[in-house]
Amino acid sequence: MTGRPVEGTIVDGRYRVLNRLGSGGMADVYCAEDLQLGRKVALKMMYARFGEDPDFVERFRREASSAAGLQHPNVVGVYDRGDEDGLQYIAMEYLEGRTLKQIVIDEAPLAPARAVDLVEQVLRAARFAHKRGIIHRDLKPHNVIVDAEDRAKVTDFGIALAGASDMTQTGSIMGTAQYLSPEQAQGQPVDARSDLYSVGIMLYELLTGKVPFEGDSAVSIALKQVSAAPVPPSQLNPAITPALERAVLRALAKSPADRPADAEAFIAELEAARNGLATDATAATAYVPGGAVPLATGATIPSGGGTSSYELAALYGLPAGPQATIPPTSPPLLVEEDRRDRRWLAALVAALVIALLVVGGLLLLGGKQKSVPSVLGTDQATAERTLRDAGFSTDTTPRQDNQPAGTVIGQSPEGGSKADDGSTVTLTISSGPGEGRVPDVQNLGRRAAFKKLRAAGFKVTEREQNDDVIRKDHVIQTIPAAGVPLTRGQEVISVVSLGPSKVAVPSVVGKTQDEAETALTGAGLKADVTEQEAADKDPGTVLAQDVAGGTMLSKGATVTLTVAKAPETKEVPDVTGKTDDEAVSELSGAGFKVVQEQQPVTTPDDDGKVLAQSPAAPKKLKPGQTVTITIGSFDPNLNPEPDPTTPTTPTAPTTPTTPTTP
């Protein structure tokens, strides 16, 4: 196979391509059907040039095998690896959903709680992989897939290493550079803390809608990753708490040693921030030539202290500059000894300081500099008045935002920075959350519906009620109804089913089947009927019910009835002329009861034989009914046999002689 596979192509005799999902720096991704297992998979087909590099192929096989061993709820499963005419491929778990990058484009800035929830899922995936010796190396929102219930899964664990040598030749370097750790940008060895830096960038972007470092080229972005301090995210989103901001900026520390020790520690910091608790007193570090000395709160980090002085300024929301003062409310900081092999960093810092001095000189030549007041979070009228009183003019630009309409959500130059007296400060003013349509969540689970409504920008209140059709814990309807336009931030009521209401089971034993079914149907229940032979009950009579009368059942539940049915009839066999033993055996074997009656007979030949039966064959009876048989009984005393010596022909009587008269 050459080039991109088209719809219907069978890859490696197993995967039928359905459609193309997208492409990245290393591969095209397709939705395909696994013909052996009958399921959808995501088929990642590497670009042809990679197949020409034996080193890449070997790395790819090794890393894909490692990734296939990662079985975790927050990791996209790898099913299979192979090649098709030299094109390397991976068959992975197929997920319905959006990438985290698409969520940023569609919805950022996210509410801090939701952003933390998504990032913690990414960290759980990273923690699982790191404990097994696998570093992702290319964590970015493009590699995280989120389903409709905000469940996040990370893809491409370990695969980035296979393509590392070719990264500079791909079209993805610009996007990758935005999430690249400083040590990666410098080509240094990386460990798990490099992934944590990338996750910190992702969290920053979810909270603010922007990555901390942008530029015209990948090189310029990478240089900023190494040397520039990020704008504190709370300046872009006032909803970010100090604790959450400290967690974000700690993850973005330039030195891996200053970041959380591992994914577990990062999760703990985020949980503490989520709960409004202060994180552990893990101090930030500043590097000052001359050794390690403790700095008290309110102390000043001297000029020449290195790049970390800029990091520290960012950590506490101070303007970056040659000096940075620790706020009085800050925890004590420890200054560590300079690390070895920082000569390259010193040279870079020197260049940055020179650049700052040049910029400062230009500003001084331009006129009197004044401090710009911070007006974030105030209303437009107050902000304009404050800036006007401070000697600045204002310009405004609107932007849709969850903040109330008229609220200042951004300013340039930023508060606390220096600007020419009389210069213009541009304010970004919230135009309000805007309007959206209530999404259709009928029949969705209550949790999925809640998240979908929240994602659409609405407040959600749940109301529960019984429903005979919608399953328990699923949404019956919303108020307002789906499709109704509504201002984001307004309340939508999600009506959730408690399941069918309860009804009392009627007692129907002894009733006819029709009567019983009518009673159950009238109560909102269903009837299921089984039959049982009962010779002593009329056919159709209810003999039993599996749920006792008076029991409360959900409306629509089924009650099983046992109903009498007429026994089957059988022909009575003809036993006349047979002996009494033969007759009893045959009739009993046919299922009938036998009653014997005796009738005298005059000859011994009829003794013990059936002379008659009632009813006569072939009349049909129910098994268990009675057949009466008449048995011959000979009594020799009543019927003596004749003497064989006695003549059987009687002698003619002698005619009396009539005397003669003389």
Side-chain angles (χ1 to χ4, degrees), residues 309-385:
S309 64
Y310 296 93
E311 296 177 75
L312 188 63
L315 182 62
Y316 291 104
L318 300 172
Q323 295 189 357
T325 300
I326 304 171
T329 57
S330 306
L333 300 178
L334 297 177
V335 182
E336 300 178 1
E337 292 184 344
D338 282 341
R339 288 169 173 76
R340 292 175 297 175
D341 198 21
R342 290 192 173 271
R343 286 173 293 176
W344 65 270
L345 184 57
L348 180 59
V349 171
L352 289 172
V353 172
I354 293 171
L356 287 171
L357 292 174
V358 171
V359 172
L362 292 173
L363 290 174
L364 289 173
L365 291 174
K368 182 181 178 182
Q369 294 277 295
K370 302 183 71 173
S371 179
V372 178
S374 176
V375 293
L376 287 176
T378 64
D379 61 88
Q380 181 178 348
T382 300
E384 289 178 343
R385 182 170 60 252

Side-chain angles (χ1 to χ4, degrees), residues 169-532:
Q169 301 175 29
T170 72
S172 66
I173 183 64
M174 179 72 80
T176 298
Q178 293 176 329
Y179 306 92
L180 208 61
S181 67
E183 56 269 29
Q184 282 179 291
Q186 299 167 63
Q188 297 176 354
V190 300
D191 59 18
R193 293 169 297 181
S194 179
D195 280 352
L196 302 189
Y197 183 94
S198 301
V199 176
I201 298 277
M202 292 162 60
L203 179 55
Y204 187 106
E205 186 177 16
L206 289 170
L207 291 168
T208 67
K210 298 179 179 179
V211 290
F213 305 116
E214 295 182 293
D216 296 332
S217 68
V219 173
S220 66
I221 296 172
L223 286 174
K224 290 180 181 179
Q225 300 283 21
V226 172
S227 61
V231 174
S234 64
Q235 294 189 19
L236 303 176
N237 182 357
I240 299 172
T241 64
L244 180 56
E245 182 165 85
R246 283 194 295 272
V248 174
L249 293 175
R250 180 166 155 74
L252 297 184
K254 302 303 180 187
S255 170
D258 298 333
R259 299 172 202 152
D262 51 30
E264 186 71 46
F266 198 171
I267 291 172
E269 289 189 35
L270 292 177
E271 279 300 298
R274 183 204 295 271
N275 298 326
L277 303 174
T279 57
D280 293 339
T282 309
T285 54
Y287 301 101
V288 180
V293 293
L295 292 182
T297 58
T300 297
I301 298 175
S303 171
T307 305
S308 292
S309 64
Y310 296 93
E311 296 177 75
L312 188 63
L315 182 62
Y316 291 104
L318 300 172
Q323 295 189 357
T325 300
I326 304 171
T329 57
S330 306
L333 300 178
L334 297 177
V335 182
E336 300 178 1
E337 292 184 344
D338 282 341
R339 288 169 173 76
R340 292 175 297 175
D341 198 21
R342 290 192 173 271
R343 286 173 293 176
W344 65 270
L345 184 57
L348 180 59
V349 171
L352 289 172
V353 172
I354 293 171
L356 287 171
L357 292 174
V358 171
V359 172
L362 292 173
L363 290 174
L364 289 173
L365 291 174
K368 182 181 178 182
Q369 294 277 295
K370 302 183 71 173
S371 179
V372 178
S374 176
V375 293
L376 287 176
T378 64
D379 61 88
Q380 181 178 348
T382 300
E384 289 178 343
R385 182 170 60 252
T386 300
L387 290 167
R388 193 165 50 247
D389 292 344
F392 298 99
S393 60
T394 60
D395 191 13
T396 60
T397 179
R399 191 179 79 190
Q400 186 173 297
D401 191 87
N402 290 333
Q403 297 293 323
T407 303
V408 178
I409 57 175
Q411 70 176 84
S412 180
E414 297 168 347
S417 63
K418 298 288 187 180
D420 290 342
D421 188 12
S423 62
T424 299
V425 176
T426 301
L427 302 177
T428 303
I429 309 297
S430 171
S431 58
E435 188 174 81
R437 294 187 179 273
V438 178
D440 184 3
V441 295
Q442 186 180 31
N443 275 320
L444 278 183
R446 68 193 309 162
R447 183 169 177 264
F450 181 90
K451 289 190 173 184
K452 189 171 182 179
L453 291 166
R454 285 290 298 274
F458 302 111
K459 294 180 181 177
V460 184
T461 300
E462 288 189 344
R463 178 189 299 168
E464 296 178 324
Q465 69 180 49
N466 292 105
D467 191 275
D468 298 337
V469 177
I470 304 298
R471 288 180 296 161
K472 183 180 179 181
D473 289 327
H474 286 67
V475 174
I476 302 167
Q477 62 175 354
T478 55
I479 304 173
V484 172
L486 197 66
T487 300
R488 292 187 178 91
Q490 287 192 276
E491 181 186 66
V492 173
I493 298 173
S494 176
V495 183
V496 179
S497 173
L498 289 172
S501 53
K502 301 284 187 178
V503 295
V505 177
S507 180
V508 294
V509 174
K511 297 181 181 292
T512 66
Q513 180 178 336
D514 288 341
E515 291 171 340
E517 289 181 347
T518 299
L520 290 170
T521 303
L525 301 169
K526 298 175 182 176
D528 188 24
V529 176
T530 61
E531 291 185 317
Q532 178 179 307

Side-chain angles (χ1 to χ4, degrees), residues 537-579:
K537 296 290 184 181
D538 292 333
T541 302
V542 176
L543 304 175
Q545 59 189 90
D546 68 335
V547 181
T551 304
M552 302 300 293
L553 284 185
S554 295
K555 200 171 181 180
T558 298
V559 177
T560 300
L561 305 177
T562 303
V563 177
K565 72 173 182 177
E568 295 179 1
T569 59
K570 299 178 68 174
E571 288 186 359
V572 177
D574 185 1
V575 295
T576 57
K578 297 185 178 182
T579 68

